[in-house]
């Protein structure tokens, strides 16, 4: 599945970050240890103590740096090829990394006069680096495995170095096995804690991925019916959102005598006709910054100014109307659609925009008297014999040369007469 592929890719990216962190850890450790060993060697020589070869610890870190670099390149390859490392490879890598502090402790213990003192040196704390970094593997099993390997190897080293140490040469506290057993248990608990953190990160990512996948599916499916702007508005609105007042421009489009026209058409031919017609005229809406809010069978309602406004919604709406007019005439002339008559009504003003419906089904809608009047104006095109009728607020915002006063008329639902204009 696509979601599984994406999740595997994200795990690889997280693994790559972990490997990169290891690389810089080892590289800085190699440099720091080189200077430190040189300083310690000089101090030991001044005390007539023969130290272990100074080049061994830095060389060990250099090899680890090379290992981390190879790991980074290996993960880069997997990311490019879209491959996921086999589980055995991942556990083998976890075992190798968990054993890095153990090898260094064994080496130090073997070269000290009192071997058990190696367990109080800095490499003992290095186990925590790998336990913490295991969270980036996003795998509970690997985190627990690393904690267990650290626990088992540390106890094994303790048992071995205690056997190599003379009890009389050290303070009894340094020869107490329960103390080291307690330290080892901290490594084991650390592994379980890393597993818990890893699980939380993994679950959080899975939930985020699922939510984003769902949103993408909604955008693909729902976006076939309404504009992307509406889809994004619906996705980001809170459930308790009560709407928003906006100044918009509404355009109603309708095909004249569609019922009579439909009687002579096959249902399939009728659908093909509407699809061909709407295919082009809806582009006129979209390119001018509007959205088709509702399809009304043989017409639609378009909104300019919601959910996004371009600052000149009236001009954009009337421009779209003129382009629709030209588009239909061109289609008729080319013979792509039969000769039809149409009407458009345009009005502008304050509305309330928001989503209405139930939890299972919601719809982005525009509510207000502006919508009702725009619908009434579209119906008046039959009475006045013109294809586009404008309200006074719309006409007053346009150049006088673009409009023609038709007069005042009574509109259903309005007590006062409404002054209407034709768009030339």
């Amino acid at each position: 599945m696509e979601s599984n592929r994406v999740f595997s890719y994200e795990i690889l990216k997280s693994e790559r970050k972990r490997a990169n962190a290891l690389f810089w850890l080892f590289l800085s450790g190699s440099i720091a240890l080189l200077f430190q060993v040189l300083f310690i060697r000089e101090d030991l020589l001044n005390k007539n103590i023969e130290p272990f070869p100074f080049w061994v610890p830095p060389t060990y870190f250099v090899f680890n740096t090379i290992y981390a670099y190879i790991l980074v390149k290996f993960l880069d390859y997997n990311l490019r090829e879209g491959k996921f490392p086999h589980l055995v490879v991942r556990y083998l890598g976890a075992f190798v990394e968990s054993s890095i502090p153990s090898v260094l402790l064994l080496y130090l213990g073997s070269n000290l006069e009192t071997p058990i003192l190696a367990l109080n040196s800095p490499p003992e704390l290095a186990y925590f680096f790998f336990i913490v970094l295991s969270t980036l593997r996003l795998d509970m099993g690997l985190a627990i495995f690393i904690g267990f390997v650290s626990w088992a190897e540390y106890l094994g080293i303790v048992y071995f170095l205690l056997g190599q140490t003379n009890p009389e040469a050290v303070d009894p506290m340094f020869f107490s096995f329960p103390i080291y057993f307690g330290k080892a248990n901290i490594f084991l608990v650390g592994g379980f804690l890393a597993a818990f953190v890893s699980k939380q990160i993994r679950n959080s990512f899975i939930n985020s991925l699922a939510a984003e996948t769902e949103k993408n599916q909604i955008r693909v499916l729902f976006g076939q019916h309404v504009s992307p702007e509406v889809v994004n508005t619906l996705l980001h609105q809170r459930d308790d959102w009560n709407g928003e007042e906006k100044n918009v421009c509404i355009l109603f489009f309708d095909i004249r005598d569609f019922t009579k026209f439909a009687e002579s058409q096959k249902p399939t031919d009728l659908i093909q006709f509407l699809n061909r017609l709407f295919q082009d005229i809806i582009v006129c809406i979209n390119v001018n910054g509007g959205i088709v809010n509702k399809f009304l069978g043989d017409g639609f309602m378009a909104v300019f100014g919601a959910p996004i406004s371009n600052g000149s919604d009236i001009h954009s709406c009337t421009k779209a109307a003129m382009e629709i007019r030209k588009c239909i005439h061109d289609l008729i002339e080319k013979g792509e659609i039969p000769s039809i008559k149409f009407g458009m009504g345009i009005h502008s003003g304050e509305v309330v925009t928001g989503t209405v419906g139930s939890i299972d089904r919601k719809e982005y809608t525009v509510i207000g008297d502006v919508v009702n009047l725009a619908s009434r104006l579209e119906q008046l095109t039959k009475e006045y014999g013109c294809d586009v009728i404008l309200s006074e607020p719309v006409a007053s915002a346009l150049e006088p040369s673009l409009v023609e006063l038709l007069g005042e008329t009574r509109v259903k639902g309005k007590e006062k007469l409404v002054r209407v204009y034709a768009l030339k």
Side-chain angles (χ1 to χ4, degrees):
M1 292 176 64
E2 179 67 17
S3 58
N4 291 334
R5 185 189 67 81
V6 174
F7 183 63
S8 296
Y9 181 77
E10 291 300 325
I11 290 180
L12 278 177
K13 286 170 61 178
S14 184
E15 284 268 25
R16 205 269 183 199
K17 291 178 182 177
R18 183 190 61 81
N20 195 51
L22 280 179
F23 171 77
W24 290 108
L25 174 67
F26 288 138
L27 182 61
S28 58
S30 300
I31 298 172
L33 197 59
L34 177 62
F35 285 102
Q36 187 176 8
V37 168
L38 289 174
F39 174 78
I40 293 175
R41 178 179 175 82
E42 183 180 352
D43 183 62
L44 293 176
L45 287 174
N46 291 334
K47 296 179 180 179
N48 296 320
I49 300 175
E50 184 63 30
F52 49 81
F54 77 93
W55 51 266
V56 173
T59 301
Y60 181 65
F61 265 75
V62 168
F63 276 115
N64 290 333
T65 304
I66 295 173
Y67 160 78
Y69 179 78
I70 294 173
L71 180 60
V72 169
K73 294 303 177 183
F74 171 72
L75 292 172
D76 283 341
Y77 167 78
N78 281 272
L79 283 169
R80 287 194 305 270
E81 300 297 322
K83 297 180 179 179
F84 196 75
H86 194 277
L87 190 62
V88 173
V89 175
R90 299 186 73 204
Y91 271 87
L92 181 61
F95 177 79
V96 170
E97 292 172 18
S98 302
S99 301
I100 289 174
S102 302
V103 173
L104 195 53
L105 284 176
L106 279 174
Y107 181 81
L108 289 175
S110 301
N111 286 273
L112 290 175
E113 185 177 348
T114 308
I116 199 63
L117 293 180
L119 296 177
N120 293 280
S121 62
E124 181 188 45
L125 303 176
Y127 288 107
F128 285 108
F129 286 128
F130 302 99
I131 293 173
V132 171
L133 287 174
S134 68
T135 58
L136 292 177
R137 293 178 179 271
L138 301 181
D139 189 313
M140 286 185 62
L142 279 171
I144 294 173
F145 175 75
I146 290 174
F148 176 78
V149 170
S150 301
W151 174 83
E153 290 185 354
Y154 183 77
L155 286 180
I157 293 170
V158 168
Y159 182 79
F160 172 76
L161 294 182
L162 284 176
Q164 302 295 314
T165 302
N166 181 2
E168 298 179 356
V170 294
D171 188 289
M173 185 180 67
F174 289 104
F175 208 80
S176 175
F177 182 80
I179 292 178
Y180 300 109
F181 185 71
K183 289 183 179 180
N185 288 339
I186 293 176
F187 298 147
L188 185 61
V189 172
F192 279 96
L193 288 176
F196 173 77
V197 173
S198 179
K199 181 181 179 181
Q200 299 307 308
I201 297 174
R202 184 187 182 101
N203 290 344
S204 177
F205 176 77
I206 290 175
N207 292 337
S208 298
L209 178 62
E212 190 60 32
T213 301
E214 183 180 2
K215 286 183 178 181
N216 288 336
Q217 291 174 344
I218 291 173
R219 288 188 179 100
V220 171
L221 298 176
F222 195 30
Q224 296 174 359
H225 304 282
V226 298
S227 72
E229 292 87 355
V230 173
V231 176
N232 289 329
T233 299
L234 294 174
L235 289 174
H236 292 94
Q237 280 179 0
R238 305 186 310 273
D239 292 336
D240 60 348
W241 190 70
N242 294 320
E244 181 179 6
E245 292 186 358
K246 280 182 172 289
N247 194 297
V248 302
C249 193
I250 304 292
L251 181 151
F252 271 86
F253 173 90
D254 184 65
I255 300 174
R256 294 284 165 261
D257 303 320
F258 183 76
T259 302
K260 183 179 180 180
F261 172 77
E263 291 177 354
S264 60
Q265 302 291 321
K266 294 179 181 180
T268 53
D269 293 338
L270 197 60
I271 292 298
Q272 289 177 2
F273 158 71
L274 289 174
N275 285 338
R276 182 65 192 91
L277 177 64
F278 289 153
Q279 175 181 319
D280 285 1
I281 64 177
I282 289 175
V283 171
C284 299
I285 299 293
N286 293 337
V287 297
N288 285 288
I291 66 167
V292 175
N293 183 246
K294 289 183 178 66
F295 283 100
L296 307 169
D298 59 330
F300 58 80
M301 183 186 88
V303 183
F304 292 77
I308 299 173
S309 173
N310 61 12
S312 57
D313 303 310
I314 291 178
H315 291 85
S316 297
C317 185
T318 53
K319 182 182 177 184
M322 289 187 287
E323 290 179 2
I324 289 172
R325 174 198 285 163
K326 183 179 184 303
C327 178
I328 293 176
H329 290 160
D330 290 345
L331 289 173
I332 293 173
E333 287 181 4
K334 293 176 183 177
E336 296 189 29
I337 62 171
S339 180
I340 59 170
K341 294 182 179 181
F342 58 90
M344 287 180 276
I346 301 176
H347 182 39
S348 177
E350 291 286 336
V351 297
V352 175
T353 66
T355 53
V356 296
S358 64
I359 296 177
D360 298 323
R361 180 178 175 83
K362 291 185 178 181
E363 182 182 67
Y364 180 82
T365 190
V366 179
I367 302 173
D369 184 62
V370 174
V371 178
N372 299 329
L373 182 54
S375 177
R376 301 286 190 269
L377 294 179
E378 176 267 308
Q379 295 170 14
L380 285 176
T381 57
K382 301 176 185 177
E383 179 180 332
Y384 284 96
C386 57
D387 52 17
V388 184
I389 287 184
L390 313 174
S391 67
E392 188 169 23
V394 175
S396 62
L398 302 175
E399 293 291 333
S401 60
L402 295 176
V403 300
E404 178 185 349
L405 177 63
L406 297 176
E408 293 183 337
T409 184
R410 188 168 298 280
V411 176
K412 183 180 178 181
K414 292 287 186 179
E415 294 182 0
K416 295 181 180 181
L417 295 177
V418 176
R419 184 171 296 178
V420 294
Y421 298 78
L423 181 65
K424 293 181 181 179

